[in-house]
Amino acid sequence: TDTYVGIDLARIGDIAAISFAHILENGKIFADTHGFVSTVTPIEVKSKRDKIDYMKLAQEGHITISSSDSGIIDYAEMVQWLMEYEKKYKLNVKYLVYDSWDSDSFINEADKLGAKWTAIKLSQGYKGMSPPTKQFRYAVFNKKVTHANNPLLNLAMRNARVKQYDGNIKIDKDKQREKIDSLIALINAY
């Protein structure tokens, strides 16, 4: 399956997200996402603060909780997860699109582990995010995007707000604890 992959990176406070835009035979897009969560702040405290049951999401396979000694999200673990997912589902990854925040570390890990993705950096400002956000929104309105009721993606959709500036739009959130990372990663993929 031809697939576009979007990455929204984080190390401690946010969810690091890998989202997928799988191109179906009928031209529609099947969207999915997987998150990675730090344990620098204990997961129970983080769950209470963010009002997200991270343990349940992990048990359901929607997130990976950091296993590093420091609790920081390990980009090598993310890359390995993505390489296994790609192999398991026999994906043809067309592009991996990522934000520039801490991206050198992620790309270096991907290179070290032998990943063969064509990677594209996308500015997360209005100018960079407006075109894919508008196209994604049109596709959703035209019912060309489906997903399997992924709770992480549902959460991001509920928390997302469209911000406008000078004719451009991008996704944002009202509060720090509101997580939109998987949607940002999906728009990167789009």
Side-chain angles (χ1 to χ4, degrees), residues 33-166:
T33 194
H34 187 82
F36 296 80
V37 178
S38 162
T39 57
V40 170
T41 299
I43 207 71
E44 299 80 16
V45 173
K46 189 180 211 100
S47 288
K48 187 174 180 179
R49 179 194 68 206
D50 297 344
K51 299 182 180 179
I52 299 170
D53 190 343
Y54 288 113
M55 293 305 293
K56 181 179 179 190
L57 288 173
Q59 290 164 355
E60 293 174 347
H62 299 292
I63 65 167
T64 298
I65 296 173
S66 177
S67 60
S68 71
D69 291 340
S70 66
I72 293 172
I73 295 167
D74 181 358
Y75 290 163
E77 185 176 30
M78 287 180 69
V79 170
Q80 288 169 340
W81 184 93
L82 180 53
M83 291 174 77
E84 289 169 13
Y85 183 90
E86 175 185 28
K87 185 177 179 181
K88 179 179 179 181
Y89 294 103
K90 298 179 176 85
L91 302 180
N92 177 27
V93 175
K94 303 298 274 181
Y95 298 105
L96 181 136
V97 185
Y98 59 94
D99 67 352
S100 59
W101 185 88
D102 206 24
S103 61
D104 289 343
S105 299
F106 182 87
I107 296 301
N108 288 339
E109 289 296 338
D111 289 344
K112 276 197 275 185
L113 293 169
K116 303 289 183 208
W117 306 308
T118 300
I120 299 171
K121 191 181 294 191
L122 179 66
S123 166
Q124 300 295 290
Y126 281 98
K127 190 174 182 179
M129 291 302 290
S130 189
T133 302
K134 286 179 179 179
Q135 290 305 312
F136 179 76
R137 183 166 66 172
Y138 300 148
V140 169
F141 287 158
N142 288 316
K143 299 184 183 339
K144 292 185 177 186
V145 178
T146 62
H147 76 93
N149 205 25
N150 183 306
L152 201 54
L153 196 50
N154 287 340
L155 175 73
M157 294 296 285
R158 281 192 307 273
N159 290 335
R161 305 291 178 262
V162 175
K163 303 273 178 143
Q164 286 189 295
Y165 176 76
D166 200 24

Side-chain angles (χ1 to χ4, degrees), residues 6-26:
I7 307 285
D8 187 47
L9 295 171
R11 286 289 199 168
I12 297 174
D14 264 339
I15 297 169
I18 301 175
S19 291
F20 305 92
H22 302 288
I23 311 303
L24 304 177
E25 288 181 15
N26 62 7

